[in-house]
Amino acid sequence: MKILGIESSCDDTSIAIVDSNKNIIANEVLSQDNIHRDFQGIVPELAARNHVLFIDKILSKILSKTEININQIDLISATAGPGLIGGLLVGLSFAKTLAQVNNKPFVAVNHLEGHALTARLSDNVNYPFLLLLISGGHTNFYFIKNINDYYNLGGTLDDALGEAFDKVANILKLGFPGGPKIEKLSQKGNKDLVKLPKPLINKRNLDLSFSGLKTAVLNSYATSVTKKKYKTEDIAASFQYTVSDILCKKLSLAIELTEKKFFNFKNIVIAGGVAANNFLRQKLKEEAEKNNKSIYLPPTNLCTDNGAMIAWAGYELYTKGIKSNLNFEARPRWPLEEKRIN
Ligand code: KG4
Ligand code: ZN
């Protein structure tokens, strides 16, 4: 089967063609970073307008590049939530129209499910697996028992981790989006100079919190500027290291709690935009190996938002009998653990 996947839940417009043998035939991502940079964050209305402007052009581009005719597509899937309502409506309406006009089956996909199942596309990971999803909008542990059988184990009580990276980059005047900038600058910094708090690290549950950490960065930056105590790169390195320490401790706890609640398992998956961070990847890998687990991290271009993950999740759902009606509505909020019936 050839599956067309459409993603427009945030600021990236992406369309991909994936086949049922896990080949990514095309995966075109149009970033809007240049548009939102001046505002140091995503402006929902601008994001929606730009999805409208480019979505049809991206489809034409991948169809002509791959020399695939729309008639050769067997299934159309699109992100229906969670995300920014304007962007969701653009991608979802576009996908439904394509499905109706070309008489193709349609599957609405939960964006988080796209991230969750990416490692099955890229690395052939078997169910079940423990998932740490770290993105711009979500930071959560899940136990992924099987397709459409997901358990929420706990996560952030305030900011998502990507959001914290972006806000810290903003404080340090590094630009937008912040994650990659902090990663780069950290390489030149000393992670031990600036002491930052690790909220909730000793709590025996999977609650996370990043807003206090962000405030501590703000205070450290004020000190470093006025008293020239440390450099911006030291703060960046310390922030990134502190985050890695929190995630590693909670990952070990997540393994322990999941095995107590369910059963022993082998695989761990880290997904979402923040999982593109090489420092965090390395630290989480070491932590998983310490716990005798196999860890899977999708290639960095499949960690950030993309259409391929939506195509793949749509395919997995379809093979389990899930097919969506063309009146499926966009859902700005949509918990991953909610069971699907259509
Ligand atoms: O998954 P994603 O593309 O979109 C959402 O679903 O939210 O994640 C975007 C987030 C942004 O906050 C961005 O700063 C962060 O992922 N990010 C990173 C890195 N690359 C992207 N954070 C840390 N290090 C990176 N290298
Ligand atoms: Zn995402």
Side-chain angles (χ1 to χ4, degrees):
M1 278 179 75
K2 285 191 180 60
I3 309 101
L4 188 80
I6 299 175
E7 160 59 36
S8 62
S9 65
C10 195
D11 59 333
D12 293 316
T13 323
S14 180
I15 305 185
I17 300 173
V18 168
D19 74 18
S20 44
N21 293 325
K22 306 193 174 184
N23 296 306
I24 300 176
I25 299 166
N27 188 24
E28 199 67 34
V29 183
L30 183 70
S31 156
Q32 298 182 8
D33 287 350
N34 284 338
I35 291 156
H36 302 283
R37 189 162 283 139
D38 291 348
F39 306 93
Q40 287 133 27
I42 294 152
V43 184
E45 178 64 22
L46 286 180
R49 287 186 204 187
N50 281 282
H51 288 307
V52 172
L53 281 178
F54 294 107
I55 199 159
D56 54 335
K57 294 168 188 74
I58 297 173
L59 178 66
S60 305
K61 183 173 169 186
I62 68 165
L63 291 179
S64 70
K65 207 164 84 179
T66 57
E67 297 182 359
I68 289 174
N69 188 294
I70 194 82
N71 291 323
Q72 295 167 271
I73 299 288
D74 303 292
L75 173 69
I76 293 174
S77 57
T79 303
L84 302 172
I85 186 72
L88 291 172
L89 286 172
V90 175
L92 192 59
S93 308
F94 187 72
K96 287 172 176 179
T97 309
L98 277 177
Q100 184 161 41
V101 169
N102 298 290
N103 200 21
K104 304 287 177 188
F106 167 69
V107 175
V109 171
N110 183 317
H111 180 82
L112 308 177
E113 196 167 16
H115 281 304
L117 306 187
T118 303
R120 289 181 46 75
L121 169 67
S122 60
D123 297 78
N124 266 320
V125 179
N126 287 326
Y127 296 116
F129 54 87
L130 174 69
L131 168 71
L132 170 57
L133 174 53
I134 39 181
S135 72
H138 295 86
T139 300
N140 229 87
F141 287 98
Y142 296 97
F143 190 46
I144 306 295
K145 262 186 161 177
N146 208 325
I147 181 81
N148 201 17
D149 195 8
Y150 314 133
Y151 296 82
N152 184 345
L153 304 170
T156 186
L157 303 176
D158 41 57
D159 291 356
L161 190 51
E163 192 184 348
F165 265 91
D166 293 338
K167 286 178 179 166
V168 163
N170 204 4
I171 293 168
L172 303 182
K173 303 192 170 35
L174 302 179
F176 174 85
K181 311 242 178 200
I182 289 184
E183 180 177 4
K184 188 150 180 251
L185 189 66
S186 295
Q187 289 167 356
K188 293 193 276 175
N190 181 341
K191 68 174 176 48
D192 299 317
L193 284 185
V194 189
K195 289 277 164 285
L196 294 173
K198 296 172 185 168
L200 305 180
I201 194 157
N202 293 319
K203 282 257 166 4
R204 293 269 310 155
N205 61 30
L206 300 177
D207 287 350
L208 296 161
S209 166
F210 299 106
S211 78
L213 177 56
K214 191 184 61 192
T215 308
V217 167
L218 185 65
N219 294 338
S220 301
Y221 185 68
T223 316
S224 76
V225 170
T226 51
K227 303 199 179 133
K228 301 220 171 347
K229 264 175 83 180
Y230 12 75
K231 298 188 196 125
T232 308
E233 50 263 44
D234 300 327
I235 302 178
S238 177
F239 169 74
Q240 188 176 255
Y241 177 76
T242 303
V243 166
S244 76
D245 216 25
I246 297 168
L247 292 184
C248 286
K249 285 251 159 51
K250 292 285 182 176
L251 181 66
S252 273
L253 182 62
I255 295 168
E256 184 193 324
L257 297 180
T258 306
E259 296 200 327
K260 222 177 252 171
K261 186 170 169 164
F262 298 95
F263 44 78
N264 285 10
F265 65 91
K266 187 77 197 125
N267 298 333
I268 295 176
V269 170
I270 316 290
V274 184
N277 182 297
N278 286 305
F279 182 80
L280 295 181
R281 289 168 83 91
Q282 186 54 35
K283 292 285 174 197
L284 289 164
K285 199 162 167 267
E286 288 164 14
E287 193 67 25
E289 282 160 6
K290 243 195 273 172
N291 284 283
N292 292 319
K293 301 291 175 201
S294 307
I295 188 164
Y296 299 89
L297 297 119
T300 54
N301 67 316
L302 295 180
C303 285
T304 46
D305 290 349
N306 64 88
M309 69 180 192
I310 302 305
W312 179 255
Y315 169 71
E316 284 215 41
L317 287 165
Y318 187 69
T319 57
K320 290 289 164 196
I322 305 274
K323 199 178 152 205
S324 307
N325 292 326
L326 292 180
N327 61 2
F328 196 106
E329 287 186 13
R331 297 187 57 180
R333 288 176 189 277
W334 186 0
L336 175 62
E337 61 274 19
E338 211 179 281
K339 285 255 189 302
R340 297 285 302 268
I341 45 166
N342 65 8

